[in-house]
Coordinates of all heavy atoms in Angstrom, one line a residue:
M1208 N -20.1 15.1 -2.1 CA -20.6 13.9 -2.7 C -20.6 12.8 -1.7 O -19.7 12.6 -1.0 CB -19.7 13.5 -3.9 CG -19.6 14.5 -5.0 SD -18.6 13.9 -6.3 CE -19.9 13.5 -7.4
S1209 N -21.6 12.0 -1.7 CA -21.6 10.9 -0.9 C -21.3 9.7 -1.7 O -21.3 9.7 -2.9 CB -23.0 10.7 -0.2 OG -24.0 10.4 -1.2
G1210 N -20.9 8.6 -1.0 CA -20.5 7.4 -1.7 C -20.1 6.3 -0.8 O -20.5 6.3 0.4
T1211 N -19.2 5.4 -1.2 CA -18.8 4.4 -0.4 C -18.0 4.9 0.8 O -17.4 6.0 0.7 CB -17.9 3.4 -1.2 OG1 -16.7 4.1 -1.6 CG2 -18.6 2.8 -2.3
R1212 N -18.0 4.2 1.9 CA -17.2 4.6 3.1 C -16.1 3.6 3.2 O -16.2 2.5 3.7 CB -18.1 4.5 4.3 CG -19.2 5.5 4.3 CD -18.6 6.9 4.5 NE -19.7 7.9 4.5 CZ -19.5 9.1 4.0 NH1 -18.4 9.5 3.6 NH2 -20.5 9.9 4.1
E1213 N -15.0 4.0 2.5 CA -13.8 3.2 2.6 C -13.1 3.4 4.0 O -13.3 4.4 4.6 CB -12.8 3.6 1.5 CG -13.3 3.5 0.1 CD -13.3 2.1 -0.4 OE1 -12.5 1.3 0.1 OE2 -14.1 1.8 -1.2
E1214 N -12.4 2.3 4.4 CA -11.6 2.4 5.6 C -10.5 3.5 5.4 O -9.9 3.6 4.3 CB -10.9 1.1 5.9 CG -11.9 0.0 6.4 CD -11.9 0.0 7.9 OE1 -11.0 0.4 8.6 OE2 -13.0 -0.5 8.4
P1215 N -10.2 4.3 6.4 CA -9.0 5.2 6.2 C -7.8 4.4 6.0 O -7.6 3.3 6.5 CB -9.0 5.9 7.6 CG -10.3 5.7 8.2 CD -10.8 4.4 7.7
V1216 N -6.8 5.0 5.3 CA -5.6 4.4 5.0 C -4.5 5.4 5.4 O -4.7 6.6 5.3 CB -5.4 3.9 3.6 CG1 -6.4 2.8 3.2 CG2 -5.5 5.0 2.6
L1217 N -3.3 4.9 5.7 CA -2.1 5.7 5.9 C -1.4 5.8 4.6 O -0.9 4.7 4.1 CB -1.3 5.1 7.0 CG 0.0 5.8 7.4 CD1 -0.3 7.3 7.9 CD2 0.8 5.1 8.4
V1218 N -1.3 6.9 4.1 CA -0.5 7.1 2.8 C 0.9 7.4 3.2 O 1.3 8.5 3.6 CB -1.1 8.3 2.0 CG1 -0.3 8.6 0.8 CG2 -2.6 8.0 1.7
D1219 N 1.7 6.4 3.0 CA 3.2 6.5 3.3 C 4.1 6.4 2.1 O 5.3 6.4 2.3 CB 3.5 5.5 4.4 CG 3.2 4.1 4.1 OD1 2.7 3.8 3.0 OD2 3.4 3.2 4.9
T1220 N 3.5 6.2 0.9 CA 4.3 6.2 -0.3 C 3.6 7.0 -1.4 O 2.4 7.2 -1.3 CB 4.6 4.8 -0.8 OG1 3.3 4.2 -1.2 CG2 5.2 3.9 0.2
A1221 N 4.3 7.4 -2.4 CA 3.7 8.2 -3.5 C 2.6 7.4 -4.2 O 1.7 8.0 -4.6 CB 4.8 8.6 -4.5
G1222 N 2.8 6.1 -4.2 CA 1.8 5.3 -4.9 C 0.6 4.8 -4.1 O -0.3 4.1 -4.7
A1223 N 0.5 5.2 -2.8 CA -0.5 4.6 -2.0 C -1.8 5.4 -2.1 O -2.9 4.8 -1.9 CB -0.1 4.7 -0.5
L1224 N -1.8 6.7 -2.5 CA -3.0 7.5 -2.5 C -3.8 7.2 -3.8 O -5.1 7.1 -3.7 CB -2.6 9.0 -2.5 CG -3.8 10.0 -2.5 CD1 -4.7 9.8 -1.3 CD2 -3.2 11.4 -2.5
G1225 N -3.2 7.1 -4.9 CA -3.9 6.9 -6.2 C -4.9 5.8 -6.2 O -6.1 6.0 -6.5
P1226 N -4.5 4.6 -5.8 CA -5.4 3.4 -5.9 C -6.6 3.6 -4.9 O -7.7 3.2 -5.2 CB -4.6 2.2 -5.4 CG -3.2 2.6 -5.8 CD -3.1 4.1 -5.6
Y1227 N -6.4 4.3 -3.8 CA -7.5 4.6 -2.8 C -8.5 5.5 -3.5 O -9.7 5.3 -3.4 CB -6.9 5.2 -1.6 CG -7.9 5.4 -0.5 CD1 -8.3 4.3 0.4 CD2 -8.5 6.6 -0.2 CE1 -9.2 4.5 1.4 CE2 -9.4 6.8 0.8 CZ -9.8 5.8 1.6 OH -10.7 6.0 2.6
V1228 N -8.0 6.6 -4.1 CA -8.8 7.6 -4.7 C -9.6 6.9 -5.8 O -10.8 7.1 -6.0 CB -8.0 8.8 -5.3 CG1 -8.8 9.6 -6.2 CG2 -7.4 9.6 -4.1
K1229 N -9.0 6.1 -6.6 CA -9.6 5.4 -7.7 C -10.7 4.5 -7.2 O -11.8 4.4 -7.7 CB -8.6 4.6 -8.5 CG -9.2 4.0 -9.8 CD -8.1 3.3 -10.6 CE -8.6 2.8 -11.9 NZ -7.4 2.3 -12.7
A1230 N -10.5 3.8 -6.1 CA -11.5 2.9 -5.5 C -12.7 3.6 -5.0 O -13.8 3.2 -5.2 CB -10.9 2.0 -4.4
V1231 N -12.5 4.8 -4.4 CA -13.6 5.6 -3.9 C -14.4 6.1 -5.1 O -15.6 6.1 -5.1 CB -13.1 6.7 -3.0 CG1 -14.2 7.7 -2.7 CG2 -12.5 6.1 -1.7
R1232 N -13.7 6.6 -6.1 CA -14.4 7.1 -7.3 C -15.2 6.1 -7.9 O -16.4 6.3 -8.2 CB -13.4 7.7 -8.3 CG -14.1 8.1 -9.6 CD -13.1 8.6 -10.7 NE -12.1 7.6 -11.1 CZ -12.3 6.6 -12.0 NH1 -13.5 6.4 -12.5 NH2 -11.3 5.8 -12.3
K1233 N -14.7 4.9 -8.1 CA -15.4 3.8 -8.7 C -16.6 3.3 -7.8 O -17.6 3.0 -8.3 CB -14.5 2.6 -9.1 CG -13.6 2.9 -10.3 CD -12.9 1.7 -10.7 CE -12.3 2.0 -12.1 NZ -12.0 0.7 -12.8
G1234 N -16.3 3.4 -6.5 CA -17.4 3.0 -5.6 C -18.6 4.0 -5.6 O -19.7 3.6 -5.3
Q1235 N -18.3 5.2 -6.1 CA -19.3 6.2 -6.2 C -19.9 6.2 -7.7 O -20.7 7.0 -8.0 CB -18.8 7.6 -5.9 CG -18.4 7.8 -4.5 CD -17.9 9.2 -4.1 OE1 -18.0 10.1 -4.9 NE2 -17.4 9.3 -2.9
Q1236 N -19.5 5.2 -8.4 CA -19.9 4.9 -9.8 C -19.7 6.1 -10.7 O -20.6 6.5 -11.5 CB -21.4 4.5 -9.8 CG -21.6 3.2 -9.0 CD -23.0 2.7 -9.0 OE1 -23.9 3.4 -9.3 NE2 -23.2 1.4 -8.7
L1237 N -18.6 6.8 -10.5 CA -18.2 7.9 -11.3 C -17.2 7.5 -12.4 O -16.1 6.9 -12.0 CB -17.6 9.0 -10.5 CG -18.5 9.9 -9.6 CD1 -17.7 10.8 -8.7 CD2 -19.4 10.7 -10.5
R1238 N -17.5 7.8 -13.6 CA -16.5 7.6 -14.7 C -15.4 8.6 -14.5 O -15.7 9.7 -14.0 CB -17.1 7.7 -16.1 CG -18.1 6.6 -16.3 CD -18.7 6.7 -17.7 NE -18.5 8.0 -18.3 CZ -19.0 8.4 -19.5 NH1 -19.7 7.6 -20.2 NH2 -18.8 9.6 -20.0
I1239 N -14.2 8.3 -15.0 CA -13.1 9.2 -14.8 C -13.4 10.6 -15.5 O -13.1 11.6 -14.9 CB -11.8 8.6 -15.2 CG1 -10.6 9.5 -14.7 CG2 -11.7 8.4 -16.8 CD1 -9.2 8.8 -14.9
D1240 N -14.0 10.6 -16.6 CA -14.3 11.9 -17.3 C -15.3 12.7 -16.6 O -15.2 13.9 -16.5 CB -14.6 11.7 -18.8 CG -15.8 10.7 -19.0 OD1 -16.0 9.8 -18.2 OD2 -16.5 10.9 -20.0
D1241 N -16.3 12.0 -16.1 CA -17.4 12.7 -15.3 C -16.8 13.3 -14.0 O -17.1 14.4 -13.6 CB -18.5 11.8 -15.0 CG -19.3 11.4 -16.2 OD1 -19.3 12.1 -17.2 OD2 -19.9 10.3 -16.2
A1242 N -16.0 12.5 -13.3 CA -15.4 12.9 -12.1 C -14.5 14.1 -12.3 O -14.6 15.1 -11.6 CB -14.6 11.8 -11.4
A1243 N -13.7 14.1 -13.3 CA -12.8 15.2 -13.6 C -13.5 16.4 -13.9 O -13.2 17.5 -13.4 CB -11.9 14.8 -14.8
A1244 N -14.6 16.3 -14.6 CA -15.5 17.5 -14.9 C -16.1 18.1 -13.6 O -16.1 19.3 -13.4 CB -16.5 17.2 -15.9
L1245 N -16.6 17.2 -12.8 CA -17.2 17.6 -11.5 C -16.1 18.3 -10.6 O -16.5 19.3 -9.9 CB -17.7 16.4 -10.7 CG -19.1 15.9 -11.2 CD1 -19.4 14.6 -10.5 CD2 -20.2 16.9 -11.0
F1246 N -14.9 17.9 -10.7 CA -13.8 18.4 -9.8 C -13.1 19.6 -10.4 O -12.3 20.2 -9.7 CB -12.8 17.3 -9.4 CG -13.4 16.0 -8.9 CD1 -12.7 14.9 -9.1 CD2 -14.6 16.0 -8.2 CE1 -13.2 13.7 -8.6 CE2 -15.1 14.8 -7.7 CZ -14.4 13.7 -7.9
G1247 N -13.4 19.9 -11.7 CA -12.8 21.0 -12.3 C -11.3 20.8 -12.7 O -10.5 21.7 -12.7
I1248 N -11.0 19.5 -13.0 CA -9.7 19.2 -13.4 C -9.7 18.4 -14.7 O -10.8 18.0 -15.2 CB -8.9 18.4 -12.3 CG1 -9.6 17.0 -12.1 CG2 -8.8 19.2 -11.0 CD1 -8.8 16.1 -11.2
S1249 N -8.6 18.2 -15.3 CA -8.5 17.4 -16.6 C -8.5 15.9 -16.3 O -8.1 15.5 -15.2 CB -7.3 17.8 -17.4 OG -6.1 17.3 -16.7
V1250 N -9.0 15.2 -17.3 CA -8.9 13.7 -17.1 C -7.5 13.3 -17.0 O -7.2 12.3 -16.2 CB -9.6 13.0 -18.4 CG1 -9.4 11.5 -18.4 CG2 -11.1 13.4 -18.4
D1251 N -6.6 13.9 -17.7 CA -5.2 13.6 -17.5 C -4.7 13.7 -16.1 O -4.0 12.9 -15.6 CB -4.3 14.4 -18.5 CG -2.9 14.1 -18.4 OD1 -2.4 13.0 -18.7 OD2 -2.1 15.0 -17.9
T1252 N -5.1 14.8 -15.5 CA -4.6 15.0 -14.1 C -5.2 14.0 -13.1 O -4.4 13.4 -12.3 CB -5.1 16.4 -13.6 OG1 -4.4 17.4 -14.4 CG2 -4.7 16.7 -12.1
L1253 N -6.5 13.7 -13.3 CA -7.0 12.6 -12.4 C -6.4 11.3 -12.7 O -6.1 10.5 -11.8 CB -8.6 12.6 -12.6 CG -9.3 11.6 -11.7 CD1 -9.0 11.8 -10.2 CD2 -10.8 11.8 -12.0
S1254 N -6.1 11.0 -13.9 CA -5.5 9.7 -14.3 C -4.1 9.6 -13.7 O -3.7 8.6 -13.1 CB -5.4 9.5 -15.8 OG -4.8 8.4 -16.2
R1255 N -3.3 10.7 -13.8 CA -2.0 10.7 -13.2 C -2.0 10.5 -11.7 O -1.2 9.8 -11.1 CB -1.3 12.0 -13.5 CG -0.7 12.1 -15.0 CD 0.1 13.3 -15.3 NE -0.7 14.4 -15.5 CZ -0.6 15.5 -14.7 NH1 0.3 15.7 -13.8 NH2 -1.4 16.6 -15.0
L1256 N -3.0 11.1 -11.0 CA -3.2 11.0 -9.6 C -3.5 9.5 -9.3 O -2.8 8.9 -8.4 CB -4.3 11.9 -9.1 CG -4.7 11.7 -7.6 CD1 -3.5 11.9 -6.7 CD2 -5.8 12.6 -7.2
E1257 N -4.5 9.0 -9.9 CA -4.9 7.6 -9.6 C -3.9 6.5 -9.9 O -3.8 5.5 -9.3 CB -6.2 7.3 -10.4 CG -7.4 8.0 -9.9 CD -8.7 7.6 -10.6 OE1 -8.6 6.9 -11.6 OE2 -9.7 8.1 -10.1
N1258 N -3.0 6.8 -10.9 CA -2.0 5.9 -11.3 C -0.6 6.2 -10.7 O 0.4 5.5 -11.1 CB -2.0 5.7 -12.8 CG -3.3 5.1 -13.3 OD1 -3.6 4.0 -13.0 ND2 -4.0 5.9 -14.1
A1259 N -0.5 7.3 -10.0 CA 0.8 7.7 -9.4 C 1.8 7.9 -10.4 O 3.0 7.4 -10.3 CB 1.2 6.7 -8.3
V1260 N 1.5 8.5 -11.5 CA 2.4 8.8 -12.6 C 2.5 10.3 -12.8 O 1.5 10.9 -13.2 CB 1.9 8.1 -13.9 CG1 2.8 8.4 -15.1 CG2 1.7 6.6 -13.7
G1261 N 3.6 10.8 -12.6 CA 3.8 12.2 -12.8 C 3.3 13.1 -11.7 O 2.6 12.6 -10.8
P1262 N 3.6 14.4 -11.8 CA 3.2 15.3 -10.7 C 1.7 15.7 -10.8 O 1.2 15.7 -11.9 CB 4.1 16.5 -10.9 CG 4.4 16.5 -12.4 CD 4.4 15.0 -12.8
V1263 N 1.2 16.0 -9.6 CA -0.2 16.6 -9.6 C -0.1 17.7 -8.6 O 0.4 17.6 -7.5 CB -1.2 15.5 -9.1 CG1 -2.6 16.2 -8.9 CG2 -1.3 14.4 -10.1
R1264 N -0.6 18.9 -9.0 CA -0.5 20.1 -8.1 C -1.4 19.8 -6.9 O -2.4 19.1 -6.9 CB -1.0 21.3 -8.8 CG -0.1 21.8 -9.9 CD -0.5 23.0 -10.6 NE -1.7 23.7 -10.1 CZ -2.4 24.6 -10.8 NH1 -2.1 24.9 -12.1 NH2 -3.5 25.2 -10.3
H1265 N -1.0 20.4 -5.8 CA -1.7 20.3 -4.5 C -3.1 20.8 -4.6 O -4.0 20.1 -4.0 CB -1.0 21.1 -3.4 CG 0.3 20.5 -3.0 ND1 1.5 21.1 -3.4 CD2 0.6 19.4 -2.3 CE1 2.5 20.3 -2.9 NE2 2.0 19.3 -2.3
D1266 N -3.4 21.9 -5.3 CA -4.7 22.4 -5.4 C -5.6 21.4 -6.1 O -6.8 21.2 -5.8 CB -4.8 23.8 -6.0 CG -4.2 23.8 -7.4 OD1 -3.3 23.1 -7.7 OD2 -4.7 24.7 -8.2
K1267 N -5.1 20.7 -7.1 CA -5.9 19.7 -7.9 C -6.1 18.5 -7.0 O -7.2 17.9 -7.0 CB -5.1 19.3 -9.1 CG -4.8 20.4 -10.1 CD -6.0 21.2 -10.5 CE -5.6 22.3 -11.5 NZ -6.7 23.1 -11.9
L1268 N -5.1 18.0 -6.2 CA -5.3 16.9 -5.3 C -6.4 17.2 -4.3 O -7.3 16.4 -4.1 CB -4.0 16.6 -4.6 CG -4.1 15.7 -3.4 CD1 -4.7 14.3 -3.8 CD2 -2.8 15.6 -2.7
L1269 N -6.4 18.4 -3.7 CA -7.4 18.8 -2.7 C -8.8 18.9 -3.4 O -9.8 18.6 -2.7 CB -7.0 20.1 -2.1 CG -5.7 20.0 -1.2 CD1 -5.3 21.4 -0.7 CD2 -5.9 19.1 0.0
A1270 N -8.9 19.3 -4.6 CA -10.2 19.4 -5.3 C -10.7 18.0 -5.5 O -11.9 17.8 -5.3 CB -10.0 20.1 -6.7
V1271 N -9.9 17.0 -5.8 CA -10.3 15.6 -6.0 C -10.8 15.1 -4.6 O -11.9 14.5 -4.5 CB -9.2 14.8 -6.6 CG1 -9.6 13.3 -6.5 CG2 -8.9 15.2 -8.0
L1272 N -10.0 15.2 -3.6 CA -10.4 14.7 -2.3 C -11.7 15.3 -1.8 O -12.6 14.6 -1.4 CB -9.2 15.0 -1.3 CG -7.9 14.3 -1.5 CD1 -6.9 14.7 -0.5 CD2 -8.1 12.8 -1.6
D1273 N -11.8 16.6 -2.0 CA -13.1 17.3 -1.6 C -14.2 16.8 -2.4 O -15.3 16.5 -1.8 CB -12.9 18.8 -1.7 CG -14.2 19.5 -1.2 OD1 -14.5 19.4 0.0 OD2 -14.8 20.3 -2.0
G1274 N -14.1 16.6 -3.7 CA -15.1 16.1 -4.5 C -15.6 14.7 -4.2 O -16.8 14.4 -4.4
L1275 N -14.7 13.9 -3.7 CA -15.0 12.6 -3.3 C -15.4 12.4 -1.9 O -15.8 11.4 -1.4 CB -13.8 11.6 -3.6 CG -13.4 11.4 -5.0 CD1 -12.1 10.6 -5.1 CD2 -14.6 10.7 -5.8
G1276 N -15.5 13.6 -1.1 CA -15.9 13.5 0.3 C -14.8 13.0 1.2 O -15.0 12.5 2.3
L1277 N -13.5 13.2 0.7 CA -12.4 12.8 1.5 C -11.6 14.0 2.1 O -11.8 15.1 1.6 CB -11.4 12.0 0.6 CG -12.0 10.7 -0.1 CD1 -11.0 10.1 -1.1 CD2 -12.3 9.7 1.0
S1278 N -10.8 13.7 3.1 CA -10.0 14.8 3.6 C -8.6 14.2 3.8 O -8.3 13.0 3.8 CB -10.5 15.4 4.9 OG -10.5 14.4 5.9
M1279 N -7.6 15.1 4.1 CA -6.3 14.7 4.3 C -5.7 15.4 5.6 O -5.2 16.5 5.6 CB -5.4 15.2 3.1 CG -4.0 14.7 3.2 SD -3.0 14.9 1.7 CE -3.2 16.7 1.4
P1280 N -5.9 14.7 6.7 CA -5.4 15.3 8.0 C -3.9 15.4 8.0 O -3.2 14.5 7.4 CB -5.8 14.3 9.1 CG -6.9 13.5 8.4 CD -6.6 13.5 7.0
V1281 N -3.3 16.4 8.5 CA -1.9 16.6 8.6 C -1.5 16.9 10.0 O -2.2 17.7 10.7 CB -1.4 17.8 7.7 CG1 0.1 18.0 7.8 CG2 -1.8 17.4 6.2
G1282 N -0.5 16.3 10.6 CA -0.1 16.5 11.9 C 1.0 15.5 12.2 O 1.5 14.8 11.4
P1283 N 1.5 15.6 13.5 CA 2.6 14.6 13.9 C 2.1 13.2 13.7 O 1.0 12.9 14.0 CB 2.8 15.0 15.3 CG 2.3 16.3 15.5 CD 1.2 16.5 14.6
K1284 N 3.0 12.4 13.2 CA 2.7 10.9 13.0 C 2.1 10.3 14.2 O 1.1 9.6 14.2 CB 3.9 10.2 12.6 CG 4.3 10.5 11.2 CD 5.6 9.6 10.8 CE 6.0 9.9 9.4 NZ 7.2 9.1 9.0
E1285 N 2.7 10.6 15.4 CA 2.2 10.0 16.6 C 0.8 10.4 16.9 O 0.0 9.6 17.4 CB 3.1 10.4 17.8 CG 4.6 10.0 17.7 CD 5.3 11.0 16.8 OE1 5.0 12.2 16.7 OE2 6.3 10.5 16.1
A1286 N 0.4 11.6 16.7 CA -0.9 12.1 16.9 C -2.0 11.5 16.0 O -3.1 11.3 16.3 CB -1.0 13.6 16.9
L1287 N -1.5 11.2 14.8 CA -2.5 10.7 13.8 C -2.5 9.2 13.7 O -3.5 8.6 13.1 CB -2.1 11.2 12.4 CG -2.1 12.7 12.2 CD1 -1.6 13.2 10.9 CD2 -3.6 13.2 12.4
A1288 N -1.6 8.5 14.3 CA -1.5 7.0 14.3 C -2.8 6.4 14.7 O -3.2 5.4 14.1 CB -0.3 6.5 15.1
G1289 N -3.5 6.9 15.7 CA -4.7 6.2 16.2 C -5.9 6.5 15.3 O -6.9 5.8 15.5
M1290 N -5.8 7.4 14.3 CA -6.9 7.7 13.4 C -7.1 6.6 12.4 O -8.2 6.5 11.8 CB -6.7 9.0 12.7 CG -6.7 10.2 13.7 SD -6.4 11.7 12.8 CE -7.8 11.9 11.7
V1291 N -6.0 5.8 12.1 CA -6.1 4.8 11.0 C -6.1 3.5 11.7 O -5.2 3.1 12.4 CB -4.9 5.0 10.1 CG1 -4.9 4.0 9.0 CG2 -4.9 6.4 9.5
P1292 N -7.1 2.6 11.4 CA -7.2 1.3 12.0 C -6.0 0.4 11.5 O -5.6 0.6 10.3 CB -8.5 0.7 11.5 CG -9.1 1.7 10.6 CD -8.3 2.9 10.5
D1293 N -5.6 -0.5 12.3 CA -4.5 -1.4 11.9 C -5.1 -2.4 11.0 O -6.1 -3.1 11.4 CB -4.0 -2.1 13.2 CG -2.8 -3.0 12.9 OD1 -2.6 -3.4 11.7 OD2 -2.1 -3.4 13.9
P1294 N -4.6 -2.5 9.7 CA -5.2 -3.4 8.8 C -5.1 -4.9 9.1 O -5.7 -5.8 8.6 CB -4.5 -3.1 7.5 CG -3.3 -2.5 7.9 CD -3.5 -1.8 9.2
D1295 N -4.2 -5.2 10.1 CA -3.9 -6.6 10.5 C -4.9 -7.0 11.6 O -4.9 -8.2 11.9 CB -2.5 -6.7 11.0 CG -1.5 -6.5 9.9 OD1 -1.8 -6.8 8.7 OD2 -0.4 -6.0 10.2
V1296 N -5.7 -6.1 12.1 CA -6.7 -6.5 13.1 C -8.1 -6.5 12.5 O -8.5 -5.6 11.8 CB -6.7 -5.4 14.3 CG1 -7.8 -5.7 15.3 CG2 -5.3 -5.3 14.9
P1297 N -8.7 -7.7 12.5 CA -10.1 -7.8 11.9 C -11.0 -6.8 12.5 O -10.9 -6.4 13.6 CB -10.5 -9.2 12.4 CG -9.3 -9.9 12.7 CD -8.3 -8.9 13.2
R1298 N -11.9 -6.3 11.6 CA -12.9 -5.2 12.0 C -13.7 -5.6 13.3 O -13.9 -4.7 14.1 CB -13.9 -5.0 10.9 CG -13.3 -4.2 9.7 CD -14.4 -3.9 8.7 NE -13.8 -3.3 7.5 CZ -14.5 -2.9 6.5 NH1 -15.8 -3.0 6.5 NH2 -13.9 -2.3 5.5
D1299 N -14.1 -6.8 13.4 CA -14.9 -7.1 14.6 C -14.1 -7.2 15.9 O -14.7 -7.3 16.9 CB -15.7 -8.5 14.3 CG -14.7 -9.6 14.0 OD1 -13.6 -9.4 13.8 OD2 -15.2 -10.8 14.1
E1300 N -12.8 -7.1 15.8 CA -11.9 -7.1 17.0 C -11.4 -5.8 17.3 O -10.7 -5.6 18.3 CB -10.8 -8.1 16.8 CG -11.2 -9.5 16.7 CD -10.0 -10.5 16.5 OE1 -8.9 -10.1 16.7 OE2 -10.2 -11.6 16.0
R1301 N -11.7 -4.7 16.5 CA -11.2 -3.4 16.8 C -12.1 -2.7 17.9 O -13.3 -2.9 18.0 CB -11.3 -2.5 15.5 CG -10.4 -3.0 14.5 CD -10.5 -2.2 13.2 NE -9.7 -2.8 12.1 CZ -9.9 -2.5 10.9 NH1 -10.7 -1.6 10.5 NH2 -9.2 -3.2 10.0
G1302 N -11.4 -2.0 18.7 CA -12.0 -1.4 19.9 C -12.5 -0.1 19.6 O -13.2 0.7 19.4

């Protein structure tokens, strides 16, 4: 699915991923029930993910990310640090 191109974020807390996912979903003008159906998950699961309330299985998380056109790189922090822009540096000043 195509949609808004959000800036990458570093997810360093349990509550950091949900709001990002929700913003991307809304940017793609998907209602939560429509998105859940497209991703093959329940509305409850998507709601728990977006609101960081309760557990969400990894396979369900990956289905949501894939459905929204997102990915989740995994590797050493040092290697991935350069992938995420510093939010304190204005976009027009980034190299």
